[in-house]
Amino acid sequence: MKQIAFIVILMLGVPGVAWSQVYRCDAGGETRFSDQPCGDSSERITVRDNRIGGSFGQNLPAEPEPEEADDQSGEPGKEEAEGTCRFINSTDLRRYLVREQVVKGMTKEHVRKAFGRPPETYPTPQETWVYQTKYYGNLYELTYVYFRDGCVEEVVYRKP
């Protein structure tokens, strides 16, 4: 019984995928791929490993050391605001920007890329940007973008 348990544990440690060779054969104007050489003109193809996995942090540059915030130039808390926004996948972010959509968690820069420069802004009680949508020269819809700590907290569409 101990031998069977040892063999099972040993088999779990062995990789489950056995890579075979791939050969490319060009004959009579046709290209075929095979796991065995198919003549003198067969060419061995190297197939890269395409398994998904690994660490997401591979090959990333080291994070810079945080500097002392002695100078108070610029917007206070801007660095913190950019880091507190919800993560949006780059593919999803591009899709939103192309569709000119704004969603919760975007930064102010993302909103500017999607909607452009806001015609109206209200800093208090909560920072709000108001956009107007006009169809055929008439006011059709107002879009209110509410920010908290530099990130979109809510987007509200209202008819005038």
Side-chain angles (χ1 to χ4, degrees):
M1 185 66 179
K2 289 183 181 181
Q3 290 177 345
I4 294 174
F6 177 73
I7 291 173
V8 170
I9 291 173
L10 183 63
M11 289 178 69
L12 290 175
V14 175
V17 178
W19 295 100
S20 62
Q21 299 299 322
V22 177
Y23 295 93
R24 177 181 176 178
C25 305
D26 293 320
E30 290 184 17
T31 301
R32 294 183 359 191
F33 295 92
S34 174
D35 61 346
Q36 298 176 355
C38 47
D40 296 335
S41 66
S42 62
E43 175 186 350
R44 184 175 167 193
I45 304 291
T46 303
V47 179
R48 294 184 311 180
D49 183 14
N50 64 351
R51 288 179 285 176
I52 297 173
S55 171
F56 288 115
Q58 291 176 337
N59 301 326
L60 293 178
E63 289 189 23
E65 295 291 325
E67 297 179 12
E68 296 286 328
D70 292 334
D71 62 329
Q72 296 297 327
S73 61
E75 245 182 292
K78 184 176 181 182
E79 291 77 25
E80 295 86 12
E82 294 295 326
T84 59
C85 293
R86 177 178 72 93
F87 173 76
I88 300 175
N89 180 321
S90 62
T91 304
D92 293 337
L93 179 61
R94 280 192 296 269
R95 185 180 322 116
Y96 293 138
L97 295 179
V98 167
R99 292 179 181 173
E100 297 179 352
Q101 290 179 314
V102 173
V103 296
K104 184 176 179 178
M106 284 185 162
T107 64
K108 292 179 182 180
E109 185 61 32
H110 296 152
V111 175
R112 282 190 196 102
K113 287 180 181 178
F115 283 171
R117 188 172 172 189
E120 296 179 52
T121 59
Y122 300 100
T124 56
Q126 180 179 9
E127 186 171 4
T128 306
W129 293 1
V130 181
Y131 292 90
Q132 299 175 358
T133 304
K134 293 187 178 187
Y135 290 112
Y136 302 109
N138 295 326
L139 184 60
Y140 177 73
E141 186 176 62
L142 294 172
T143 304
Y144 294 85
V145 182
Y146 297 98
F147 292 93
R148 183 166 311 280
D149 298 326
C151 302
V152 174
E153 182 179 61
E154 186 178 10
V155 181
V156 177
Y157 300 96
R158 295 185 184 148
K159 299 284 183 188

